[in-house]
């Protein structure tokens, strides 16, 4: 894989506009198909789910989610290596990312690496929905080089929105077999928060960087992945197999095969409710004592789902990562796109 104390983020108050398709996204598309975003909390995604419509629901007016505050983390056990940090979904919120990294002492006031031999992992989803996805990618690429020069590292995992942006750029309006009719990457990208300015600024170096990202990694007993799904098991019985398979699919550049990969890694909620067994299945195959993931915002893991029309979105209360599935899973997407919090935390967590 080739990857080379600040203020609290300003809290936005989310409005319906945050979830409405922008004017340039008003393109003919297949009728929305059933998907987890439209299902009530606790429902299982329908068989053959294809993400051709907006991927996330909206919290009901007045709903809040109290997430336990995680105490100050203990130092990394191995004194020969720097401390380990993880970052949840960023989705284009560059200013909030810089503030969160600065708060942890990972970057200085100029946004430069300031953490020496620390280890930093991003869990994917750098673009879409927020204002500056390409700026986020540029920052992570730069920090990767600066961290390596300082004896640490900054690395990133493949999120479903990286697959979506790659597909929109490579295949555009080319029809793909969605398993429930036809779809296109372009329509799915626009419906799921694709930003025209990101596409205009997307360069070959960004595409190459995204295509080389790994999907799964194990660090200090933590199995890191973007999505809370067992679909990774479809791509290999070892971490190396999964990553090699994902890279091979992207290299072959087949629209239908890339769509199937995107579709599977967009699944969510596998670890909720009685999901501890799903987490154990992943760890028994790939190792680790805990799964750490992004993808599903903490408010949606715990809150109720409302309709997308006619309701404002209450500001979710997210103070830190959510530990669930009998303590075996850590959710890291604090819901920055809905005025939540962009999470940067040190592992291991205190329990």
């Amino acid at each position: 894989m080739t990857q080379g104390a600040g203020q609290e983020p300003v809290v936005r108050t989310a409005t319906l506009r945050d979830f409405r398709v922008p004017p340039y996204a008003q393109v003919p598309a297949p009728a929305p198909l059933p998907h987890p975003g439209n299902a009530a909390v606790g429902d299982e995604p329908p068989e053959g789910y294809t993400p051709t419509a907006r991927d996330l629901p909206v919290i009901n007016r007045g709903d809040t989610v109290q997430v336990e505050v995680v105490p100050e983390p203990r130092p990394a056990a191995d004194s020969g290596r720097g401390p380990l940090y993880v970052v949840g979904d960023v989705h284009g919120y560059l200013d909030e990312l810089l503030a969160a990294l600065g708060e942890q002492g990972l970057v200085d006031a100029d946004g430069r690496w300031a953490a020496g031999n620390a280890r930093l992992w991003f869990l994917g989803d750098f673009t879409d929905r927020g204002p500056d996805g390409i700026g986020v990618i540029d920052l992570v690429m730069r920090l990767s080089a600066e961290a390596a020069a300082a004896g640490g590292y900054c690395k990133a995992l493949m999120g479903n929105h990286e697959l979506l942006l790659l597909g929109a750029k490579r295949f555009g309006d080319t029809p793909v077999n969605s398993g429930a009719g036809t779809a296109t990457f372009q329509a799915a990208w626009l419906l799921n928060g694709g930003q025209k300015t990101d596409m205009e600024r997307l360069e070959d170096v960004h595409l190459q960087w995204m295509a080389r990202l790994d999907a799964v990694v194990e660090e200090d007993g933590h199995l890191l992945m973007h999505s809370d799904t067992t679909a990774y098991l479809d791509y290999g019985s070892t971490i190396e197999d999964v990553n090699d398979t994902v890279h091979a699919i992207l290299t072959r550049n087949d629209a239908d095969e890339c769509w199937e990969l995107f579709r599977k890694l967009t699944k969510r909620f596998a670890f909720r409710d009685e999901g501890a067994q799903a987490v154990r299945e992943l760890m028994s195959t790939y190792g680790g004592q805990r799964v750490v993931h992004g993808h599903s915002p903490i408010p949606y893991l715990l809150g109720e789902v409302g309709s997308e029309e006619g309701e404002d979105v209450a500001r979710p209360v997210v103070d830190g990562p959510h530990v669930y599935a009998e303590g075996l899973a850590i959710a890291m997407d604090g819901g920055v796109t809905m005025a939540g919090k962009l999470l940067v935390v040190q592992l291991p967590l205190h329990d």
Side-chain angles (χ1 to χ4, degrees):
M1 181 170 71
T2 303
Q3 304 185 86
Q7 296 177 323
E8 288 284 341
V10 176
V11 176
R12 302 181 304 110
T13 299
T15 65
L16 183 61
R17 183 174 59 186
D18 292 311
F19 300 91
R20 183 172 293 131
V21 182
Y24 60 81
Q26 305 296 328
V27 296
L33 298 170
H35 60 83
N38 287 337
V41 171
D43 287 353
E44 291 297 320
E47 188 66 27
Y49 157 61
T50 181
T52 55
R54 198 177 292 105
D55 187 52
L56 288 173
V58 178
I59 297 294
N60 279 330
R61 178 193 297 271
D63 286 351
T64 60
V65 177
Q66 296 289 345
V67 179
E68 62 181 274
V69 179
V70 179
E72 286 298 314
R74 53 184 174 266
D78 184 352
S79 59
R81 309 175 70 188
L84 174 64
Y85 293 83
V86 291
V87 184
D89 299 38
V90 181
H91 281 301
Y93 286 92
L94 178 60
D95 291 344
E96 288 82 350
L97 174 60
L98 285 167
L101 293 172
E103 183 180 354
Q104 292 287 353
L106 294 166
V107 301
D108 62 21
D110 295 321
R112 301 288 175 178
W113 183 260
N117 67 343
R119 296 168 291 151
L120 178 63
W121 274 100
F122 285 80
L123 299 180
D125 277 10
F126 302 101
T127 67
D128 304 337
R129 298 197 173 102
D132 194 0
I134 300 303
V136 170
I137 292 177
D138 284 339
L139 173 66
V140 177
M141 292 173 65
R142 175 170 59 77
L143 290 179
S144 296
E146 293 173 358
Y153 62 68
C154 170
K155 299 183 180 181
L157 292 179
M158 175 81 69
N160 63 306
H161 279 262
E162 281 67 67
L163 293 169
L164 184 56
L165 182 57
L166 281 167
K169 179 65 173 180
R170 288 181 176 181
F171 307 116
D173 289 321
T174 301
V176 294
N177 181 8
S178 71
T182 58
T184 72
F185 270 105
Q186 178 74 4
W189 175 70
L190 290 171
L191 285 166
N192 284 284
Q195 301 294 302
K196 188 176 182 181
T197 51
D198 282 347
M199 187 64 75
E200 291 170 346
R201 295 166 57 202
L202 189 61
E203 299 178 4
D204 286 345
V205 64
H206 303 127
L207 296 169
Q208 293 165 4
W209 181 81
M210 287 190 291
R212 293 169 181 166
L213 297 177
D214 285 341
V216 186
V217 71
E218 190 271 335
E219 286 277 0
D220 297 353
H222 298 89
L223 187 62
L224 308 182
M225 57 183 58
H226 174 70
S227 303
D228 47 327
T229 178
T230 58
Y232 294 94
L233 296 168
D234 295 342
Y235 294 99
S237 58
T238 68
I239 289 175
E240 183 179 14
D241 288 344
V242 174
N243 293 329
D244 287 347
T245 300
V246 169
H247 296 154
I249 289 171
L250 294 175
T251 299
R252 285 193 292 271
N253 210 33
D254 178 88
D256 286 330
E257 194 175 24
C258 288
W259 178 266
E260 180 68 2
L261 174 63
F262 162 65
R263 184 186 72 83
K264 286 186 175 181
L265 295 192
T266 302
K267 294 180 179 180
R268 64 174 80 247
F269 300 148
F271 311 150
R272 226 174 33 178
D273 303 322
E274 303 300 319
Q277 184 53 42
V279 181
R280 291 189 181 96
E281 184 179 7
L282 285 166
M283 294 191 301
S284 68
T285 302
Y286 302 131
Q289 287 80 52
R290 266 184 166 173
V291 166
V292 183
H293 70 85
H295 189 48
S296 291
I298 292 169
Y300 293 142
L301 285 168
L302 297 179
E304 293 184 0
V305 175
S307 67
E308 293 185 356
E309 298 298 332
E311 296 186 16
D312 292 330
V313 181
R315 190 179 78 193
V317 179
V318 176
D319 293 320
H322 173 51
V323 180
Y324 68 119
E326 300 180 12
L328 297 176
I330 301 173
M332 280 292 301
D333 184 351
V336 67
T337 64
M338 53 199 305
K341 185 174 184 179
L342 201 162
L343 297 178
V344 179
V345 302
Q346 184 180 345
L347 298 177
L349 299 178
H350 280 300
D351 290 335

